[in-house]
Amino acid sequence: MRSDFDRIHRVIEQQNYMLLNSGGGGGGSSLLIDLVAYYKLEDTADSAGSHTLTGINTPTVVAAKIDNGYQIDQANNRYLRAADHADFDLGSVDLTIAMWIKPTDANVDYAALSKWNFGAGDMEYLLTINGGGGASTFYARKADDSGNVTVDKNIAFTVGTWYWVVVEVDHTNDIISLDANNGGKTTAVWSTTGRAGSQPFEIGGNNAAATIALNAIVDEVGVWRRMLTADEKTSLYNAGTGITYPF
């Protein structure tokens, strides 16, 4: 769990930013609230916090959805990683993760997001993308290690096309969900607390399995410790154009 001090400090920083950028009138984007990490992927910096990414096996910066992003490469096991932190844990606090993905080949069932090591028995969540157009799956691990809750969604991924993918863990309404292009989320019942493990937060790969990295370009990855409203998600998707931090 995040300490109360960390949470209060983050809220104060976000409120100060919103005031400074609204002429003192209290405006600013609500998308800054409980935003714990945001990766514009011009580089490995975290624009909203201190969770800097490390490029594993030197992924390449390329033109992407908004300016630049990273080419994730399965053949060379190239992907991105941030150190384990409570900000990324399932736990008992709502979680939303959103990202843009552009497949570069029709690979099947590879890791878009990962905090998961099956071999070590240390599993929290895993998002696998089915580039063949079948079911993509979000797995969330129960805190008592009694199993996973999964949600499947058929997303017709096409090579060379951008997709906005969102996963949510909603502790208030007891659901997990998976959505693409703001088209309507698919849900599964989640009436439990999530596991808080020690695996890193990984984008486009998995430290335990070199064969499941994506072949894709990724961009604009955001992590919130709350549920976003429908209007906020519509704003982020922006009719397929996307927006970037600070919104």
Side-chain angles (χ1 to χ4, degrees), residues 2 10 14 30-38 46-49 221-226 245-247:
R2 292 178 290 165
R10 181 176 297 113
Q14 291 166 341
S30 65
L31 286 164
L32 296 170
I33 298 170
D34 282 333
L35 176 66
V36 298
Y38 195 91
D46 176 3
S47 297
V221 181
V223 183
W224 289 261
R225 291 319 306 236
R226 66 178 178 91
Y245 182 92
F247 316 117

Side-chain angles (χ1 to χ4, degrees), residues 207-239:
N207 69 89
T211 59
I212 66 170
L214 279 173
N215 285 316
I217 301 170
V218 295
D219 202 7
E220 303 297 328
V221 181
V223 183
W224 289 261
R225 291 319 306 236
R226 66 178 178 91
M227 301 298 294
L228 301 183
T229 67
D231 284 347
E232 287 171 332
K233 286 185 279 189
T234 296
S235 177
L236 281 170
Y237 181 57
N238 195 23

Side-chain angles (χ1 to χ4, degrees), residues 116-174:
W116 189 276
N117 187 323
F118 183 81
D122 190 4
M123 297 162 283
E124 289 186 57
Y125 51 85
L126 173 68
L127 171 62
T128 61
I129 295 299
N130 188 324
S136 296
T137 304
F138 180 49
Y139 303 81
R141 188 73 173 177
K142 298 178 181 179
D144 62 6
D145 263 338
S146 62
N148 308 316
V149 175
T150 64
V151 57
D152 298 325
K153 187 175 183 65
N154 287 323
I155 305 169
F157 285 99
T158 300
V159 173
T161 299
W162 282 102
Y163 298 85
W164 189 61
V165 179
V166 180
V167 295
E168 298 173 310
V169 180
D170 183 347
H171 292 281
T172 301
N173 295 300
D174 292 330

Side-chain angles (χ1 to χ4, degrees), residues 7 20 24 34 51 55 59 62 65 97 100 104 106 110 135 151 160 172 174 192 198-199 202 216 223-224 226-227:
R7 185 180 178 85
L20 287 170
D34 282 333
H51 304 299
V62 296
K65 186 64 179 178
I97 307 174
W100 285 94
T104 53
Y110 293 109
V151 57
T172 301
D174 292 330
T192 185
S198 60
Q199 293 302 301
E202 296 172 314
V223 183
W224 289 261
R226 66 178 178 91
M227 301 298 294

Side-chain angles (χ1 to χ4, degrees), residues 82-101:
D84 175 48
H85 191 278
D87 281 344
F88 299 123
D89 286 347
L90 280 180
S92 58
V93 180
D94 291 349
L95 174 66
T96 301
I97 307 174
M99 65 187 299
W100 285 94
I101 301 172

